[in-house]
Amino acid sequence: MLVRKLLVAGNWKMNGSIQSASSLASGLLSAIRDGIGYDVVVFPPFVHLPMVAHRLQGSHLQWGGQNVSAHSKGAFTSEISAGMLKELGCQWVLAGHSECRHYGQESNELVAKKFAQALGQGLMPVLCVGETYEQRESAETEAIIWSQIDAVLTEVGVAGLGQGVIAYEPVWAIGTGLTATAEQAQEVHQFIRSHLAVKDDIIARRMRLLYGGSCNGSNAEALFSMPDVDGGLIGGASLTVEDFMAVCQKADKLSKGE
Ligand code: PEP
């Protein structure tokens, strides 16, 4: 059996200041000991990245950007390239977070190009996918999620997709306090993995699938215990050391087989 290491990722969104981001990074560094059996990544706002990189440099914690340009350089005012993130020591980047898809009107095709840019710089993209409440109600969940994944498959192939991570984040659960039940999450994750297996069974079994959407210390254990849930992308509960550690402690427990 192939063991996938749990991954706990904190999406800080547009929160905090240089000072609060600095204490959060330092707090996590002292709270999460070296040699843990799961991975931890934080996604601070772009302007806090240099400071967070400085704090976490050489540690077991990793960091990444919340978005990336679909272009490598040039006249794209306000955008940040994958190369720039790489220069800041990022190993990771989010691609297609639902807030970027919604407010930034990012299409599946644009997100796929961003994913490809990240791979081109050796970054690991976290492809965020998920359905709205209306789409779930009209039984479109699987079609929506597959169209989001398929655009990336068209752009980079299954081997390219397999170099990243997929985060299933039902839009109706993000920042709402409504969490998908562990069974609902497992159902979608299993759908994703079984469809990927048709393309490449080994990649499907290796690929980490995260759940995101109001995940916190109270529901993380049930979610992460599901066979196809390999950790979480955490928004609100990643903003304090205490809340994030409550999630990490569940990953720690599960990674030790407790
Ligand atoms: C997110 O933004 O990726 C997220 C999951 O947010 P929250 O945990 O606040 O729902």
Side-chain angles (χ1 to χ4, degrees):
M1 207 193 67
L2 232 147
V3 179
R4 295 179 297 268
K5 209 173 182 188
L6 288 173
L7 169 62
V8 182
N11 175 13
W12 297 357
K13 308 196 188 193
M14 194 176 71
N15 290 297
S17 59
I18 291 183
Q19 175 145 25
S20 69
S22 169
S23 19
L24 181 50
S26 304
L28 294 177
L29 200 50
S30 21
I32 304 171
R33 60 184 172 73
D34 211 348
I36 48 169
Y38 60 100
D39 290 328
V40 180
V41 187
V42 293
F43 294 94
F46 286 132
V47 293
H48 299 159
L49 268 174
M51 181 276 303
V52 170
H54 179 70
R55 288 268 172 282
L56 302 184
Q57 194 86 44
S59 80
H60 49 292
L61 305 186
Q62 303 172 42
W63 59 95
Q66 294 177 12
N67 203 346
V68 65
S69 177
H71 308 277
S72 57
K73 65 172 184 163
F76 299 100
T77 302
S78 88
E79 300 211 12
I80 306 286
S81 73
M84 292 170 180
L85 294 176
K86 187 78 185 172
E87 212 182 354
L88 288 174
C90 292
Q91 296 101 318
W92 296 86
V93 67
L94 300 181
H97 190 280
S98 68
E99 286 152 16
C100 304
R101 290 181 189 266
H102 180 67
Y103 299 120
Q105 277 142 30
E106 294 188 6
S107 65
N108 289 345
E109 291 67 33
L110 182 71
V111 170
K113 288 196 167 31
K114 291 175 177 232
F115 193 101
Q117 279 293 324
L119 289 187
Q121 287 293 331
L123 297 172
M124 282 178 285
V126 178
L127 173 67
C128 303
V129 299
E131 82 289 2
T132 62
Y133 179 77
E134 293 71 28
Q135 288 163 341
R136 173 163 280 263
E137 286 296 291
S138 51
E140 289 176 273
T141 299
E142 293 184 352
I144 291 295
I145 283 163
W146 193 252
S147 66
Q148 292 168 337
I149 295 174
D150 202 37
V152 177
L153 285 171
T154 304
E155 188 71 30
V156 300
V158 67
L161 178 68
Q163 288 173 53
V165 166
I166 294 175
Y168 167 54
E169 300 207 296
V171 178
W172 48 271
I174 297 183
T176 57
L178 291 173
T179 318
T181 62
E183 291 72 24
Q184 281 173 322
Q186 168 59 23
E187 195 182 353
V188 175
H189 284 223
Q190 206 250 329
F191 162 78
I192 295 172
R193 202 180 301 285
S194 62
H195 273 62
L196 285 177
V198 175
K199 309 265 173 206
D200 189 308
D201 185 42
I202 295 178
I203 290 175
R205 278 189 286 147
R206 276 202 190 127
M207 200 165 179
R208 289 189 284 192
L209 308 181
L210 309 184
Y211 168 78
S214 301
C215 182
N216 55 41
S218 317
N219 53 37
E221 187 168 0
L223 286 157
F224 299 176
S225 301
M226 288 288 142
D228 289 300
V229 179
D230 308 310
L233 180 54
I234 320 296
S238 70
L239 296 177
T240 66
V241 174
E242 193 188 12
D243 288 345
F244 196 59
M245 284 315 297
V247 178
C248 289
Q249 273 148 14
K250 304 301 178 189
D252 191 44
K253 183 175 165 195
L254 293 167
S255 70
K256 290 177 179 149
E258 289 170 4

